[in-house]
Amino acid sequence: MTLAPPRPSAPSSTPPARFPWAGLIAIAVATFLSISGEMLPTGLLPEMSADLGVTESSIGLLVSVFAFTVVLTSTGLTHLTRRLPRHLIVVGLIVVLAISAALTAIAPTYELVLASRVLGGLAHGMFWAVGGAYAGHLVPRAQVGRALAVAMSGGTLAFVLGVPLGTALGQALGWREAFGVLAGLMALGAVFVHKFLPPVGPGTAHESTPDPVTDAVPTLVDGAAPPAVRDGGREGRRRRALPKPSVLGVVLSCVITAVFMVGHYSFFTYITPYLVRSTGVPEQGLAGWLFAFGVAGAVGLGMVGWFLGARPRVSIPIGVAVVGLAVTGMLLFEGMIVPSLVAFVLWGVTFGALPPLFQTRMLQVAPERMRDLASAFYTTGFNAGIGGGALIGALVLDGAGLDSLPVLYVVVAAVVLVAVLVSDRLLARRSARPAA
């Protein structure tokens, strides 16, 4: 065997691309605004219920309607707009979300609030299909986990600041004022994102950026890499640990994510009445508890960027198991404020880590040229879980009662844990098969 000449783009002549902090922070801002608009009703269930003259479960269904609109429209709208500039779409969608929040603030009836939520769901679904893949367009495949940790930090900050502050504002001034302030922030956010988010073309993937690992590898005449290269280097080992891209991997990732979200939002959508009636949290303390949950989620997200994101195959099952234990603690420690708060914070840490880990795993197994479509399917699965969870939670709340919601969550977490382990084993076997 003789060595062929190295590829021309060796590391010595091609410096690594700078990490796109500004663009990823712009995505994080958009994510913060989008999630805040989606989840704000969960913190204002009593206020909205009293003002609109409907039950708390009906307000919870606003989350379902929002999410099911995403499920039914995100993939189709993403496909129809696939030739438009992604940058223009992201900015325009934030403007539509601002209009939706403003209409919610002034809607005189429950039915008109419902209609405004449908409009918001249309924009939210497209944003997550396009925005979720945007981070993957800006970085090489091996950096997707780190990039998503930054970009998706906006979702965690929505729980840290958006929902708690919106809840506090709604309790102090009124729920309509809270949505009005959010609409103004969304308008400002559209300007910020327009300025700082770098444009990418329609369907762009980060394929042309030289990879200092693969481009530095001398190519053998028979196509094999030298043993020293095959066996050495932390980056090389990390790349070989990634599963082979496949449609099956995308499907499994999306289904597992959807099932997990069903469990989470069947409980979390109605967390406000649960904390007050079952845990014993005073109403004036709700914003503080939600703030603690959000801060804990930020810690979990930071752990993704620090070390968990590099090993989602290990991190995801551990996280799912810890979520099940934390929610079990919420159930066992009902009426005991301190241990319940500890369990609640632990739940927040693990849930803060799991969505970006699920999405990291999905983008790692998605073929490069279908990342936008894969993100659309992921968004569909994610929001099907949110909507289905809020709907199932409403039925359980009206039937079996509040204390059945954490039980349902624990059962779903157990099912997801088994599904994660089985699917990872299947994908590992497929990756180990020699190419035909």
Side-chain angles (χ1 to χ4, degrees), residues 149-175:
V150 177
M152 297 300 104
S153 64
T156 299
L157 287 175
F159 287 102
V160 174
L161 296 176
V163 176
L165 289 180
T167 300
L169 183 63
Q171 290 173 341
L173 302 178
W175 69 269

Side-chain angles (χ1 to χ4, degrees), residues 402-418:
L402 269 176
D403 288 344
S404 299
L405 296 177
V407 176
L408 174 62
Y409 193 175
V410 172
V411 171
V412 172
V415 172
V416 169
L417 178 59
V418 173

Side-chain angles (χ1 to χ4, degrees), residues 45-47 49 54-61 270 273 277 397-398:
L45 256 68
E47 291 79 10
S49 171
V54 296
T55 64
E56 289 179 346
S57 59
S58 296
I59 300 300
L61 289 177
Y270 306 97
R277 297 172 199 165
L397 178 63
D398 290 340

